[in-house]
Amino acid sequence: EALAPRKPSYTNEEEVMEDKRKEIMLPKEWPWIETLDVTSAVAAEELIGDVENDFAREQMFYNQALAAALQARNYFAEHSIPANRPHDYFAETIKTDAHMERVRKHHVQQDLRIAAVE
Amino acid sequence: RKANTLWTTPKYRNKQRTLVFGTRGLTTRFRHLLNDLRLLLPHSKKEVKMDAKDKLYIINEIAELKACNSCIFFEARKGQDLYLWISRIPHGPSVKFHVLNIHTLDELKLTGNALRGSRPVLSFDAAFDELPALKLLKEIFIQVFGTPNRHPKSKPFVDHVLNFAYIDGKIWFRNYQMFDEQKTARDADLKLVEIGPRMVLNIVRIFDGSFCGATLYENPNYVSPNLARHIRRKQTAQRQHNRSR
C-alpha cells in the first residue's frame, strides 16, 4: 500500500462538522431513555495492542459492549424501569426458530468433531 | 403489563424513519446484510432497487416521498465492492463508507438472538467524543441505528447492544445479545452473546449535503479497492518478473 500516491492534503473541516452536528442534534433536554447511548471512558485504539490478533480484538469489543450494557442495566434499576423481557413473553425474534435449530446442530457437530480428535 | 414498562416514560417523540435500500447488482452477501439491517431497525422503510445509472441525489426525492428523515443506501460496484451511504435527509450531512469484513446473520457460528423490534443500547468508544468527524458520526448513528422510544413497531425491552469501536482508522460494528446467566435461583450474571451481523466501515468521505455538497472530511488512510487491486497485481507481476530473470 506504500505505493499508493498520497495527496498533498486532505479535507478536515472540523468547525463546519461541529456546526453540522449541532444542527442535527436531538434536543439536549430529552432524557437518556430516548437514545440509550453510552460512550466508553478509554479509546479503543489505546486498549488494543495488535489489531491483527482476532481474539484480543473481539475480547475488547466484548468488554466495551458489556460495560455499556451494565451501565444501561444500572440506569434501569435506579429508575425502576423494567426493560428486561419477562420469561413468559413470547414474540418474533430476529433469527427464526428453524435458524436457531441449525445453529444448535452446527455446534453439536463441532463439539463431536473436537471430541473425536481428542 | 403495559402500565409498568419502558413505555411509562414520556410520549413518542423521537420520530426517526430510515429508508434502507440499494442499487441493482448487490451480491447475495450484500443483499443479506441489507436485509439484516432492516430487521435490526424497526423504524426502517423499504424501497425497490435503484438503477446504478441514476444520480444519487434523486435518493433525496425518494426518501422525502416516503417521509423519511434519514437513509441507509447500499452501492455495489463491479459486483465485489460495497459502499454504504448514511445520510440525513434533506440537508445532510451524508457519509460514504467502504464496507469490509462482512458477516451476516445467517452465519452459524454466531449463536445470539434477540426480539424483533426490541431496543438496542448503543455503545461507542471514547474516540467518538474526541475526533470532530467521529463526533458527527456518533450523532448520526444514534439517530439512524437507535430504535426510537415507543416507536409503534418496537417492543418495550432492551436486550441487545450495538457496539461501535474505532480502531485501525476504521469503525468496527458488532451486535450482542444481553443474556442473563442464572448463577443461583436469585442471582444472574450478565453475559453477552454475539448475534451479528458484523461489518467494518472505512470512512471514505463526509459530505455537507445529502448525497451532494462540499466535502467536510476525507479519510487520509483510505485506498480505493480499485487502486488496492492494481497495486497487488503490480506487486505480483514484479515478483514473477524477478523470478524469471
PDB file of all heavy atoms in Angstrom, chain A residues 7 11 13 20 24 31 33 36 38-40 44 58 64 73 82-83 92 94-95, chain B residues 4 13 110 112 114 116 119 122 124-126 138 143 158 174 180 195 216 218:
ATOM      1  N   LYS A   7      -2.022  12.277  -1.623  1.00  0.00           N
ATOM      2  CA  LYS A   7      -2.373  13.641  -1.979  1.00  0.00           C
ATOM      3  C   LYS A   7      -1.663  14.601  -1.023  1.00  0.00           C
ATOM      4  O   LYS A   7      -1.361  14.229   0.101  1.00  0.00           O
ATOM      5  CB  LYS A   7      -3.888  13.814  -1.870  1.00  0.00           C
ATOM      6  CG  LYS A   7      -4.596  13.235  -3.053  1.00  0.00           C
ATOM      7  CD  LYS A   7      -6.085  13.467  -3.094  1.00  0.00           C
ATOM      8  CE  LYS A   7      -6.654  14.556  -2.247  1.00  0.00           C
ATOM      9  NZ  LYS A   7      -8.096  14.708  -2.449  1.00  0.00           N
ATOM     10  N   THR A  11      -9.066  17.071   3.221  1.00  0.00           N
ATOM     11  CA  THR A  11     -10.032  17.971   3.847  1.00  0.00           C
ATOM     12  C   THR A  11     -10.401  17.477   5.234  1.00  0.00           C
ATOM     13  O   THR A  11     -10.637  16.281   5.432  1.00  0.00           O
ATOM     14  CB  THR A  11     -11.312  18.040   2.984  1.00  0.00           C
ATOM     15  OG1 THR A  11     -10.923  18.123   1.622  1.00  0.00           O
ATOM     16  CG2 THR A  11     -12.178  19.213   3.367  1.00  0.00           C
ATOM     17  N   GLU A  13     -12.730  19.627   7.765  1.00  0.00           N
ATOM     18  CA  GLU A  13     -13.356  20.887   8.194  1.00  0.00           C
ATOM     19  C   GLU A  13     -13.941  20.721   9.587  1.00  0.00           C
ATOM     20  O   GLU A  13     -15.145  20.544   9.745  1.00  0.00           O
ATOM     21  CB  GLU A  13     -14.460  21.288   7.203  1.00  0.00           C
ATOM     22  CG  GLU A  13     -14.012  21.453   5.780  1.00  0.00           C
ATOM     23  CD  GLU A  13     -13.368  22.815   5.526  1.00  0.00           C
ATOM     24  OE1 GLU A  13     -13.350  23.648   6.461  1.00  0.00           O
ATOM     25  OE2 GLU A  13     -12.890  23.035   4.417  1.00  0.00           O
ATOM     26  N   LYS A  20     -22.447  21.403  11.997  1.00  0.00           N
ATOM     27  CA  LYS A  20     -23.389  20.451  11.392  1.00  0.00           C
ATOM     28  C   LYS A  20     -23.965  19.533  12.472  1.00  0.00           C
ATOM     29  O   LYS A  20     -25.152  19.222  12.483  1.00  0.00           O
ATOM     30  CB  LYS A  20     -22.631  19.642  10.327  1.00  0.00           C
ATOM     31  CG  LYS A  20     -23.466  19.111   9.209  1.00  0.00           C
ATOM     32  CD  LYS A  20     -23.931  20.183   8.255  1.00  0.00           C
ATOM     33  CE  LYS A  20     -24.981  19.598   7.336  1.00  0.00           C
ATOM     34  NZ  LYS A  20     -25.604  20.607   6.495  1.00  0.00           N
ATOM     35  N   ILE A  24     -28.030  19.070  13.630  1.00  0.00           N
ATOM     36  CA  ILE A  24     -28.875  17.866  13.551  1.00  0.00           C
ATOM     37  C   ILE A  24     -29.121  17.221  14.907  1.00  0.00           C
ATOM     38  O   ILE A  24     -29.882  16.269  15.020  1.00  0.00           O
ATOM     39  CB  ILE A  24     -28.254  16.799  12.611  1.00  0.00           C
ATOM     40  CG1 ILE A  24     -26.919  16.287  13.159  1.00  0.00           C
ATOM     41  CG2 ILE A  24     -28.101  17.332  11.203  1.00  0.00           C
ATOM     42  CD1 ILE A  24     -26.447  15.002  12.495  1.00  0.00           C
ATOM     43  N   PRO A  31     -34.636  12.961  27.927  1.00  0.00           N
ATOM     44  CA  PRO A  31     -33.991  12.014  28.843  1.00  0.00           C
ATOM     45  C   PRO A  31     -33.189  10.963  28.063  1.00  0.00           C
ATOM     46  O   PRO A  31     -33.436  10.728  26.873  1.00  0.00           O
ATOM     47  CB  PRO A  31     -35.169  11.370  29.571  1.00  0.00           C
ATOM     48  CG  PRO A  31     -36.329  11.554  28.665  1.00  0.00           C
ATOM     49  CD  PRO A  31     -36.089  12.831  27.923  1.00  0.00           C
ATOM     50  N   ILE A  33     -33.309   7.917  28.059  1.00  0.00           N
ATOM     51  CA  ILE A  33     -34.114   6.779  27.611  1.00  0.00           C
ATOM     52  C   ILE A  33     -34.500   6.884  26.125  1.00  0.00           C
ATOM     53  O   ILE A  33     -34.793   5.892  25.473  1.00  0.00           O
ATOM     54  CB  ILE A  33     -35.371   6.673  28.510  1.00  0.00           C
ATOM     55  CG1 ILE A  33     -35.922   5.256  28.549  1.00  0.00           C
ATOM     56  CG2 ILE A  33     -36.437   7.648  28.141  1.00  0.00           C
ATOM     57  CD1 ILE A  33     -35.218   4.418  29.546  1.00  0.00           C
ATOM     58  N   LEU A  36     -30.511   5.830  24.541  1.00  0.00           N
ATOM     59  CA  LEU A  36     -29.766   4.683  25.086  1.00  0.00           C
ATOM     60  C   LEU A  36     -28.318   4.606  24.606  1.00  0.00           C
ATOM     61  O   LEU A  36     -27.805   3.523  24.340  1.00  0.00           O
ATOM     62  CB  LEU A  36     -30.478   3.355  24.736  1.00  0.00           C
ATOM     63  CG  LEU A  36     -31.937   3.157  25.101  1.00  0.00           C
ATOM     64  CD1 LEU A  36     -32.426   1.794  24.621  1.00  0.00           C
ATOM     65  CD2 LEU A  36     -32.144   3.268  26.603  1.00  0.00           C
ATOM     66  N   VAL A  38     -24.210   5.036  25.076  1.00  0.00           N
ATOM     67  CA  VAL A  38     -23.185   5.006  26.116  1.00  0.00           C
ATOM     68  C   VAL A  38     -21.836   5.189  25.436  1.00  0.00           C
ATOM     69  O   VAL A  38     -21.593   4.611  24.384  1.00  0.00           O
ATOM     70  CB  VAL A  38     -23.194   3.640  26.854  1.00  0.00           C
ATOM     71  CG1 VAL A  38     -22.071   3.574  27.867  1.00  0.00           C
ATOM     72  CG2 VAL A  38     -24.540   3.395  27.516  1.00  0.00           C
ATOM     73  N   THR A  39     -20.969   6.013  26.014  1.00  0.00           N
ATOM     74  CA  THR A  39     -19.630   6.172  25.449  1.00  0.00           C
ATOM     75  C   THR A  39     -18.606   5.730  26.479  1.00  0.00           C
ATOM     76  O   THR A  39     -18.697   6.103  27.648  1.00  0.00           O
ATOM     77  CB  THR A  39     -19.386   7.640  25.038  1.00  0.00           C
ATOM     78  OG1 THR A  39     -20.469   8.040  24.198  1.00  0.00           O
ATOM     79  CG2 THR A  39     -18.087   7.780  24.283  1.00  0.00           C
ATOM     80  N   SER A  40     -17.638   4.930  26.045  1.00  0.00           N
ATOM     81  CA  SER A  40     -16.658   4.366  26.976  1.00  0.00           C
ATOM     82  C   SER A  40     -15.678   5.447  27.436  1.00  0.00           C
ATOM     83  O   SER A  40     -15.583   6.519  26.839  1.00  0.00           O
ATOM     84  CB  SER A  40     -15.903   3.224  26.313  1.00  0.00           C
ATOM     85  OG  SER A  40     -14.975   3.751  25.388  1.00  0.00           O
ATOM     86  N   ALA A  44     -10.747   2.891  22.185  1.00  0.00           N
ATOM     87  CA  ALA A  44     -10.426   1.506  21.834  1.00  0.00           C
ATOM     88  C   ALA A  44      -9.000   1.396  21.307  1.00  0.00           C
ATOM     89  O   ALA A  44      -8.292   0.428  21.573  1.00  0.00           O
ATOM     90  CB  ALA A  44     -11.416   1.000  20.793  1.00  0.00           C
ATOM     91  N   GLU A  58     -11.646  -9.048  19.450  1.00  0.00           N
ATOM     92  CA  GLU A  58     -13.046  -9.380  19.766  1.00  0.00           C
ATOM     93  C   GLU A  58     -13.303  -9.258  21.261  1.00  0.00           C
ATOM     94  O   GLU A  58     -14.369  -8.831  21.682  1.00  0.00           O
ATOM     95  CB  GLU A  58     -13.393 -10.785  19.278  1.00  0.00           C
ATOM     96  CG  GLU A  58     -13.403 -10.947  17.763  1.00  0.00           C
ATOM     97  CD  GLU A  58     -14.315  -9.959  17.043  1.00  0.00           C
ATOM     98  OE1 GLU A  58     -15.407  -9.667  17.555  1.00  0.00           O
ATOM     99  OE2 GLU A  58     -13.920  -9.465  15.967  1.00  0.00           O
ATOM    100  N   GLN A  64     -16.150  -3.675  25.872  1.00  0.00           N
ATOM    101  CA  GLN A  64     -16.762  -2.357  25.683  1.00  0.00           C
ATOM    102  C   GLN A  64     -18.288  -2.472  25.706  1.00  0.00           C
ATOM    103  O   GLN A  64     -18.975  -1.707  26.383  1.00  0.00           O
ATOM    104  CB  GLN A  64     -16.307  -1.756  24.347  1.00  0.00           C
ATOM    105  CG  GLN A  64     -16.828  -0.333  24.118  1.00  0.00           C
ATOM    106  CD  GLN A  64     -16.656   0.126  22.684  1.00  0.00           C
ATOM    107  OE1 GLN A  64     -15.664  -0.192  22.031  1.00  0.00           O
ATOM    108  NE2 GLN A  64     -17.627   0.869  22.186  1.00  0.00           N
ATOM    109  N   ARG A  73     -28.228  -1.263  32.356  1.00  0.00           N
ATOM    110  CA  ARG A  73     -28.959  -2.021  33.377  1.00  0.00           C
ATOM    111  C   ARG A  73     -29.053  -1.250  34.695  1.00  0.00           C
ATOM    112  O   ARG A  73     -30.101  -1.217  35.338  1.00  0.00           O
ATOM    113  CB  ARG A  73     -28.256  -3.371  33.631  1.00  0.00           C
ATOM    114  CG  ARG A  73     -28.575  -4.443  32.606  1.00  0.00           C
ATOM    115  CD  ARG A  73     -29.947  -5.033  32.905  1.00  0.00           C
ATOM    116  NE  ARG A  73     -30.369  -5.945  31.866  1.00  0.00           N
ATOM    117  CZ  ARG A  73     -30.109  -7.256  31.876  1.00  0.00           C
ATOM    118  NH1 ARG A  73     -29.405  -7.788  32.865  1.00  0.00           N
ATOM    119  NH2 ARG A  73     -30.537  -8.037  30.907  1.00  0.00           N
ATOM    120  N   PRO A  82     -38.596  -1.520  34.163  1.00  0.00           N
ATOM    121  CA  PRO A  82     -38.338  -2.905  33.778  1.00  0.00           C
ATOM    122  C   PRO A  82     -38.087  -3.010  32.273  1.00  0.00           C
ATOM    123  O   PRO A  82     -39.013  -2.927  31.485  1.00  0.00           O
ATOM    124  CB  PRO A  82     -39.616  -3.637  34.187  1.00  0.00           C
ATOM    125  CG  PRO A  82     -40.655  -2.575  34.237  1.00  0.00           C
ATOM    126  CD  PRO A  82     -40.001  -1.240  34.353  1.00  0.00           C
ATOM    127  N   ALA A  83     -36.826  -3.171  31.897  1.00  0.00           N
ATOM    128  CA  ALA A  83     -36.503  -3.218  30.472  1.00  0.00           C
ATOM    129  C   ALA A  83     -36.136  -4.624  30.023  1.00  0.00           C
ATOM    130  O   ALA A  83     -35.860  -4.860  28.858  1.00  0.00           O
ATOM    131  CB  ALA A  83     -35.363  -2.259  30.162  1.00  0.00           C
ATOM    132  N   GLU A  92     -41.889 -12.607  18.051  1.00  0.00           N
ATOM    133  CA  GLU A  92     -40.990 -12.909  16.952  1.00  0.00           C
ATOM    134  C   GLU A  92     -39.557 -12.445  17.274  1.00  0.00           C
ATOM    135  O   GLU A  92     -39.365 -11.369  17.823  1.00  0.00           O
ATOM    136  CB  GLU A  92     -41.485 -12.171  15.706  1.00  0.00           C
ATOM    137  CG  GLU A  92     -41.171 -12.881  14.424  1.00  0.00           C
ATOM    138  CD  GLU A  92     -41.722 -12.129  13.229  1.00  0.00           C
ATOM    139  OE1 GLU A  92     -42.537 -11.204  13.416  1.00  0.00           O
ATOM    140  OE2 GLU A  92     -41.319 -12.468  12.119  1.00  0.00           O
ATOM    141  N   ILE A  94     -35.296 -12.042  15.928  1.00  0.00           N
ATOM    142  CA  ILE A  94     -34.537 -11.689  14.726  1.00  0.00           C
ATOM    143  C   ILE A  94     -34.222 -12.934  13.913  1.00  0.00           C
ATOM    144  O   ILE A  94     -34.396 -12.967  12.704  1.00  0.00           O
ATOM    145  CB  ILE A  94     -33.234 -10.946  15.116  1.00  0.00           C
ATOM    146  CG1 ILE A  94     -33.577  -9.570  15.696  1.00  0.00           C
ATOM    147  CG2 ILE A  94     -32.300 -10.801  13.931  1.00  0.00           C
ATOM    148  CD1 ILE A  94     -32.379  -8.795  16.173  1.00  0.00           C
ATOM    149  N   LYS A  95     -33.727 -13.977  14.613  1.00  0.00           N
ATOM    150  CA  LYS A  95     -33.462 -15.250  13.932  1.00  0.00           C
ATOM    151  C   LYS A  95     -34.632 -16.187  14.213  1.00  0.00           C
ATOM    152  O   LYS A  95     -35.092 -16.273  15.351  1.00  0.00           O
ATOM    153  CB  LYS A  95     -32.163 -15.865  14.447  1.00  0.00           C
ATOM    154  CG  LYS A  95     -30.927 -15.048  14.110  1.00  0.00           C
ATOM    155  CD  LYS A  95     -29.687 -15.648  14.737  1.00  0.00           C
ATOM    156  CE  LYS A  95     -28.485 -14.749  14.498  1.00  0.00           C
ATOM    157  NZ  LYS A  95     -27.299 -15.199  15.247  1.00  0.00           N
TER     158      LYS A  95
ATOM    159  N   ASN B   4     -46.392  -0.862  33.359  1.00  0.00           N
ATOM    160  CA  ASN B   4     -45.111  -0.951  34.048  1.00  0.00           C
ATOM    161  C   ASN B   4     -43.990  -1.370  33.112  1.00  0.00           C
ATOM    162  O   ASN B   4     -43.377  -2.407  33.276  1.00  0.00           O
ATOM    163  CB  ASN B   4     -45.249  -1.950  35.205  1.00  0.00           C
ATOM    164  CG  ASN B   4     -44.098  -1.806  36.166  1.00  0.00           C
ATOM    165  OD1 ASN B   4     -43.473  -0.755  36.238  1.00  0.00           O
ATOM    166  ND2 ASN B   4     -43.807  -2.876  36.879  1.00  0.00           N
ATOM    167  N   ARG B  13     -41.722  10.686  20.767  1.00  0.00           N
ATOM    168  CA  ARG B  13     -41.387  11.967  20.162  1.00  0.00           C
ATOM    169  C   ARG B  13     -40.139  11.928  19.293  1.00  0.00           C
ATOM    170  O   ARG B  13     -39.925  12.796  18.482  1.00  0.00           O
ATOM    171  CB  ARG B  13     -41.213  13.023  21.240  1.00  0.00           C
ATOM    172  CG  ARG B  13     -40.178  12.635  22.285  1.00  0.00           C
ATOM    173  CD  ARG B  13     -40.193  13.665  23.382  1.00  0.00           C
ATOM    174  NE  ARG B  13     -39.439  13.189  24.533  1.00  0.00           N
ATOM    175  CZ  ARG B  13     -39.359  13.863  25.658  1.00  0.00           C
ATOM    176  NH1 ARG B  13     -39.979  14.994  25.812  1.00  0.00           N
ATOM    177  NH2 ARG B  13     -38.646  13.391  26.652  1.00  0.00           N
ATOM    178  N   LEU B 110     -22.473 -17.545  15.006  1.00  0.00           N
ATOM    179  CA  LEU B 110     -22.980 -16.531  15.928  1.00  0.00           C
ATOM    180  C   LEU B 110     -24.280 -17.039  16.551  1.00  0.00           C
ATOM    181  O   LEU B 110     -25.271 -17.226  15.866  1.00  0.00           O
ATOM    182  CB  LEU B 110     -23.213 -15.214  15.191  1.00  0.00           C
ATOM    183  CG  LEU B 110     -21.987 -14.686  14.435  1.00  0.00           C
ATOM    184  CD1 LEU B 110     -22.339 -13.447  13.632  1.00  0.00           C
ATOM    185  CD2 LEU B 110     -20.843 -14.396  15.374  1.00  0.00           C
ATOM    186  N   GLY B 112     -26.185 -15.833  19.216  1.00  0.00           N
ATOM    187  CA  GLY B 112     -27.129 -14.973  19.930  1.00  0.00           C
ATOM    188  C   GLY B 112     -28.419 -14.767  19.164  1.00  0.00           C
ATOM    189  O   GLY B 112     -28.527 -15.068  17.979  1.00  0.00           O
ATOM    190  N   ALA B 114     -32.242 -12.086  19.467  1.00  0.00           N
ATOM    191  CA  ALA B 114     -32.919 -11.022  20.209  1.00  0.00           C
ATOM    192  C   ALA B 114     -34.328 -10.888  19.671  1.00  0.00           C
ATOM    193  O   ALA B 114     -34.645 -11.385  18.595  1.00  0.00           O
ATOM    194  CB  ALA B 114     -32.170  -9.705  20.060  1.00  0.00           C
ATOM    195  N   ARG B 116     -37.431  -9.259  17.889  1.00  0.00           N
ATOM    196  CA  ARG B 116     -37.569  -8.325  16.769  1.00  0.00           C
ATOM    197  C   ARG B 116     -38.197  -7.052  17.279  1.00  0.00           C
ATOM    198  O   ARG B 116     -39.242  -7.091  17.906  1.00  0.00           O
ATOM    199  CB  ARG B 116     -38.474  -8.937  15.705  1.00  0.00           C
ATOM    200  CG  ARG B 116     -37.718  -9.314  14.459  1.00  0.00           C
ATOM    201  CD  ARG B 116     -38.645  -9.889  13.462  1.00  0.00           C
ATOM    202  NE  ARG B 116     -38.814  -8.928  12.381  1.00  0.00           N
ATOM    203  CZ  ARG B 116     -39.224  -9.285  11.173  1.00  0.00           C
ATOM    204  NH1 ARG B 116     -39.541 -10.525  10.930  1.00  0.00           N
ATOM    205  NH2 ARG B 116     -39.331  -8.387  10.235  1.00  0.00           N
ATOM    206  N   ARG B 119     -35.254  -2.659  21.719  1.00  0.00           N
ATOM    207  CA  ARG B 119     -34.330  -1.534  21.521  1.00  0.00           C
ATOM    208  C   ARG B 119     -32.900  -1.882  21.900  1.00  0.00           C
ATOM    209  O   ARG B 119     -32.675  -2.595  22.864  1.00  0.00           O
ATOM    210  CB  ARG B 119     -34.809  -0.332  22.349  1.00  0.00           C
ATOM    211  CG  ARG B 119     -36.218   0.103  21.977  1.00  0.00           C
ATOM    212  CD  ARG B 119     -36.627   1.326  22.770  1.00  0.00           C
ATOM    213  NE  ARG B 119     -35.719   2.429  22.523  1.00  0.00           N
ATOM    214  CZ  ARG B 119     -35.484   3.410  23.392  1.00  0.00           C
ATOM    215  NH1 ARG B 119     -36.059   3.403  24.570  1.00  0.00           N
ATOM    216  NH2 ARG B 119     -34.656   4.381  23.081  1.00  0.00           N
ATOM    217  N   LEU B 122     -26.684   1.623  22.536  1.00  0.00           N
ATOM    218  CA  LEU B 122     -25.670   1.989  21.545  1.00  0.00           C
ATOM    219  C   LEU B 122     -24.366   2.273  22.273  1.00  0.00           C
ATOM    220  O   LEU B 122     -24.301   3.173  23.106  1.00  0.00           O
ATOM    221  CB  LEU B 122     -26.112   3.227  20.767  1.00  0.00           C
ATOM    222  CG  LEU B 122     -27.438   3.103  20.016  1.00  0.00           C
ATOM    223  CD1 LEU B 122     -27.865   4.445  19.465  1.00  0.00           C
ATOM    224  CD2 LEU B 122     -27.323   2.092  18.889  1.00  0.00           C
ATOM    225  N   PHE B 124     -20.447   3.319  22.189  1.00  0.00           N
ATOM    226  CA  PHE B 124     -19.376   3.951  21.406  1.00  0.00           C
ATOM    227  C   PHE B 124     -18.107   3.972  22.241  1.00  0.00           C
ATOM    228  O   PHE B 124     -18.172   4.066  23.461  1.00  0.00           O
ATOM    229  CB  PHE B 124     -19.762   5.398  21.067  1.00  0.00           C
ATOM    230  CG  PHE B 124     -20.980   5.519  20.208  1.00  0.00           C
ATOM    231  CD1 PHE B 124     -22.234   5.683  20.785  1.00  0.00           C
ATOM    232  CD2 PHE B 124     -20.890   5.449  18.834  1.00  0.00           C
ATOM    233  CE1 PHE B 124     -23.379   5.783  19.999  1.00  0.00           C
ATOM    234  CE2 PHE B 124     -22.024   5.555  18.041  1.00  0.00           C
ATOM    235  CZ  PHE B 124     -23.268   5.718  18.630  1.00  0.00           C
ATOM    236  N   ASP B 125     -16.937   3.907  21.567  1.00  0.00           N
ATOM    237  CA  ASP B 125     -15.726   4.059  22.368  1.00  0.00           C
ATOM    238  C   ASP B 125     -15.369   5.539  22.445  1.00  0.00           C
ATOM    239  O   ASP B 125     -15.954   6.373  21.747  1.00  0.00           O
ATOM    240  CB  ASP B 125     -14.590   3.172  21.821  1.00  0.00           C
ATOM    241  CG  ASP B 125     -13.791   3.853  20.740  1.00  0.00           C
ATOM    242  OD1 ASP B 125     -12.864   4.598  21.072  1.00  0.00           O
ATOM    243  OD2 ASP B 125     -14.113   3.627  19.559  1.00  0.00           O
ATOM    244  N   ALA B 126     -14.419   5.870  23.324  1.00  0.00           N
ATOM    245  CA  ALA B 126     -14.146   7.279  23.656  1.00  0.00           C
ATOM    246  C   ALA B 126     -13.727   8.122  22.453  1.00  0.00           C
ATOM    247  O   ALA B 126     -13.907   9.336  22.464  1.00  0.00           O
ATOM    248  CB  ALA B 126     -13.085   7.347  24.748  1.00  0.00           C
ATOM    249  N   LYS B 138     -21.200   9.907  15.437  1.00  0.00           N
ATOM    250  CA  LYS B 138     -21.911   9.370  16.604  1.00  0.00           C
ATOM    251  C   LYS B 138     -23.345   9.901  16.627  1.00  0.00           C
ATOM    252  O   LYS B 138     -24.287   9.140  16.841  1.00  0.00           O
ATOM    253  CB  LYS B 138     -21.169   9.774  17.878  1.00  0.00           C
ATOM    254  CG  LYS B 138     -21.858   9.337  19.158  1.00  0.00           C
ATOM    255  CD  LYS B 138     -21.042   9.746  20.366  1.00  0.00           C
ATOM    256  CE  LYS B 138     -21.880   9.737  21.617  1.00  0.00           C
ATOM    257  NZ  LYS B 138     -21.147  10.284  22.762  1.00  0.00           N
ATOM    258  N   GLN B 143     -29.134   8.468  15.747  1.00  0.00           N
ATOM    259  CA  GLN B 143     -30.442   8.690  15.133  1.00  0.00           C
ATOM    260  C   GLN B 143     -30.838   7.582  14.164  1.00  0.00           C
ATOM    261  O   GLN B 143     -32.002   7.229  14.056  1.00  0.00           O
ATOM    262  CB  GLN B 143     -30.448  10.047  14.418  1.00  0.00           C
ATOM    263  CG  GLN B 143     -30.225  11.187  15.399  1.00  0.00           C
ATOM    264  CD  GLN B 143     -30.201  12.552  14.748  1.00  0.00           C
ATOM    265  OE1 GLN B 143     -30.715  12.737  13.660  1.00  0.00           O
ATOM    266  NE2 GLN B 143     -29.604  13.514  15.420  1.00  0.00           N
ATOM    267  N   VAL B 158     -35.064  -3.865  26.295  1.00  0.00           N
ATOM    268  CA  VAL B 158     -33.708  -3.617  25.820  1.00  0.00           C
ATOM    269  C   VAL B 158     -32.942  -4.924  25.988  1.00  0.00           C
ATOM    270  O   VAL B 158     -32.676  -5.340  27.109  1.00  0.00           O
ATOM    271  CB  VAL B 158     -33.034  -2.489  26.633  1.00  0.00           C
ATOM    272  CG1 VAL B 158     -31.601  -2.292  26.180  1.00  0.00           C
ATOM    273  CG2 VAL B 158     -33.822  -1.205  26.498  1.00  0.00           C
ATOM    274  N   ARG B 174     -20.435  -4.367  15.816  1.00  0.00           N
ATOM    275  CA  ARG B 174     -20.801  -5.666  16.371  1.00  0.00           C
ATOM    276  C   ARG B 174     -22.168  -5.556  17.036  1.00  0.00           C
ATOM    277  O   ARG B 174     -22.539  -4.481  17.506  1.00  0.00           O
ATOM    278  CB  ARG B 174     -19.783  -6.136  17.425  1.00  0.00           C
ATOM    279  CG  ARG B 174     -18.382  -6.400  16.906  1.00  0.00           C
ATOM    280  CD  ARG B 174     -18.331  -7.671  16.080  1.00  0.00           C
ATOM    281  NE  ARG B 174     -16.993  -7.997  15.638  1.00  0.00           N
ATOM    282  CZ  ARG B 174     -16.447  -7.566  14.502  1.00  0.00           C
ATOM    283  NH1 ARG B 174     -17.134  -6.763  13.714  1.00  0.00           N
ATOM    284  NH2 ARG B 174     -15.238  -7.922  14.160  1.00  0.00           N
ATOM    285  N   ASP B 180     -28.815 -13.209  30.479  1.00  0.00           N
ATOM    286  CA  ASP B 180     -28.621 -13.398  31.921  1.00  0.00           C
ATOM    287  C   ASP B 180     -28.357 -14.859  32.224  1.00  0.00           C
ATOM    288  O   ASP B 180     -29.229 -15.703  32.065  1.00  0.00           O
ATOM    289  CB  ASP B 180     -29.852 -12.906  32.685  1.00  0.00           C
ATOM    290  CG  ASP B 180     -29.951 -11.401  32.632  1.00  0.00           C
ATOM    291  OD1 ASP B 180     -29.052 -10.756  33.189  1.00  0.00           O
ATOM    292  OD2 ASP B 180     -30.896 -10.878  32.013  1.00  0.00           O
ATOM    293  N   ILE B 195     -24.762 -11.728  18.140  1.00  0.00           N
ATOM    294  CA  ILE B 195     -25.880 -12.042  17.254  1.00  0.00           C
ATOM    295  C   ILE B 195     -25.470 -11.885  15.787  1.00  0.00           C
ATOM    296  O   ILE B 195     -25.801 -12.686  14.927  1.00  0.00           O
ATOM    297  CB  ILE B 195     -27.077 -11.090  17.517  1.00  0.00           C
ATOM    298  CG1 ILE B 195     -27.490 -11.118  18.991  1.00  0.00           C
ATOM    299  CG2 ILE B 195     -28.258 -11.463  16.635  1.00  0.00           C
ATOM    300  CD1 ILE B 195     -28.501 -10.050  19.347  1.00  0.00           C
ATOM    301  N   LEU B 216     -16.555  17.580   3.730  1.00  0.00           N
ATOM    302  CA  LEU B 216     -16.161  18.078   5.043  1.00  0.00           C
ATOM    303  C   LEU B 216     -14.979  17.299   5.599  1.00  0.00           C
ATOM    304  O   LEU B 216     -14.207  17.785   6.408  1.00  0.00           O
ATOM    305  CB  LEU B 216     -17.332  17.968   6.032  1.00  0.00           C
ATOM    306  CG  LEU B 216     -18.598  18.736   5.707  1.00  0.00           C
ATOM    307  CD1 LEU B 216     -19.611  18.581   6.821  1.00  0.00           C
ATOM    308  CD2 LEU B 216     -18.281  20.199   5.485  1.00  0.00           C
ATOM    309  N   GLU B 218     -12.130  13.949   4.518  1.00  0.00           N
ATOM    310  CA  GLU B 218     -11.603  12.890   3.657  1.00  0.00           C
ATOM    311  C   GLU B 218     -10.719  12.011   4.520  1.00  0.00           C
ATOM    312  O   GLU B 218      -9.887  12.528   5.273  1.00  0.00           O
ATOM    313  CB  GLU B 218     -10.703  13.489   2.578  1.00  0.00           C
ATOM    314  CG  GLU B 218     -11.362  13.958   1.326  1.00  0.00           C
ATOM    315  CD  GLU B 218     -10.313  14.603   0.437  1.00  0.00           C
ATOM    316  OE1 GLU B 218      -9.846  15.711   0.782  1.00  0.00           O
ATOM    317  OE2 GLU B 218      -9.949  13.999  -0.570  1.00  0.00           O
TER     318      GLU B 218
END
